[in-house]
């Protein structure tokens, strides 16, 4: 119950391969352990701890040999993940990212706010920064550009969704 994993699987040469993935870590009544962002950036949350039902996005990756397809993969993940966040009434949504990913998310139209400048995070062996993502605005923006984007994700999944 602590984490939920999402994936995009492609049929390729008669085999299945994962080409996109994302994980949500949930802070809930069942497990109120601090989210990684709280551990890495305690000074941000010392006066106002992260509330229950907050989530942290992690392990977000898309990989494909076709750059255009790799760019499109995120639009397979985003509506599915956002629908789950909204269905479960999770939020706010946090992430710990490197500057190139922050730039890529911003350039893709993901409404986010940087909470602190990058610092070295030993657990990730990299300079990272904390962000918060406005999932309500993101969902609204996606609905505006594609009114049917969330249709197949409106209820709890009972099987795979095919694109």
């Amino acid at each position: 119950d602590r984490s939920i994993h999402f994936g995009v699987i492609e049929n390729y040469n008669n085999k299945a391969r994962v080409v996109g993935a994302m994980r949500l870590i949930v802070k809930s009544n069942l497990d109120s352990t601090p989210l990684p962002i709280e551990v890495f950036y305690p000074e941000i949350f010392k006066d106002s701890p992260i509330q229950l039902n907050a989530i942290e996005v992690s392990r977000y990756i898309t990989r494909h040999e076709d750059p255009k397809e790799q760019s499109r993969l995120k639009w397979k993940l985003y509506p599915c993940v956002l629908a789950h966040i909204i269905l479960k009434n999770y939020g706010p949504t946090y992430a710990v990212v490197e500057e190139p990913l922050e730039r890529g998310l911003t350039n893709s139209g993901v409404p986010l706010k940087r909470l602190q400048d990058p610092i070295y995070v030993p657990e990730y062996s990299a300079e990272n920064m904390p962000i918060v993502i406005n999932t309500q605005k993101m969902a609204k923006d996606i609905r505006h550009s594609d009114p049917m984007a969330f249709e197949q994700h409106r209820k709890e999944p009972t099987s795979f969704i095919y694109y």
Side-chain angles (χ1 to χ4, degrees), residues 67-158:
K68 288 181 183 177
E69 186 59 30
Q70 181 168 322
S71 181
R72 283 190 290 264
L73 288 171
K74 62 181 158 260
W75 298 109
K76 305 288 187 199
L77 280 170
Y78 292 169
C80 181
V81 174
L82 282 168
H84 187 78
I85 290 169
I86 292 165
L87 182 69
K88 294 294 189 176
N89 201 29
Y90 290 144
T93 301
Y94 298 95
V96 175
V97 300
E98 294 179 18
E99 281 188 278
L101 180 54
E102 178 200 37
R103 191 170 35 259
L105 293 169
T106 301
N107 291 341
S108 294
V110 175
L112 60 85
K113 177 182 174 190
R114 184 188 284 200
L115 300 176
Q116 179 180 313
D117 285 335
I119 61 169
Y120 184 77
V121 177
E123 290 83 351
Y124 295 158
S125 300
E127 296 253 328
N128 285 265
M129 73 190 78
I131 62 171
V132 62
I133 301 166
N134 185 337
T135 52
Q136 294 298 322
K137 180 175 182 346
M138 188 173 176
K140 183 179 175 184
D141 292 347
I142 290 173
R143 275 192 200 100
H144 180 74
S145 64
D146 180 3
M148 301 304 290
F150 295 103
E151 275 309 303
Q152 57 193 354
H153 309 290
R154 290 180 59 163
K155 56 186 178 185
E156 287 287 341
T158 56

Side-chain angles (χ1 to χ4, degrees), residues 4-62:
I4 303 106
H5 299 259
F6 299 84
V8 177
I9 301 167
E10 178 184 58
N11 289 322
Y12 183 76
N13 289 337
N14 296 319
K15 294 182 181 172
R17 65 179 185 170
V18 177
V19 292
M22 189 182 302
R23 174 178 74 166
L24 300 179
I25 306 169
V26 182
K27 184 173 184 177
S28 70
N29 285 325
L30 297 174
D31 189 341
S32 60
T33 305
L35 295 171
I37 194 171
E38 294 175 274
V39 174
F40 301 148
Y41 306 93
E43 63 282 357
I44 295 174
F45 305 104
K46 69 179 177 196
D47 295 329
S48 182
I50 289 179
Q51 65 196 40
L52 295 180
N53 281 340
I55 55 175
E56 183 169 334
V57 176
S58 70
R59 297 187 183 169
Y60 166 61
I61 188 166
T62 59

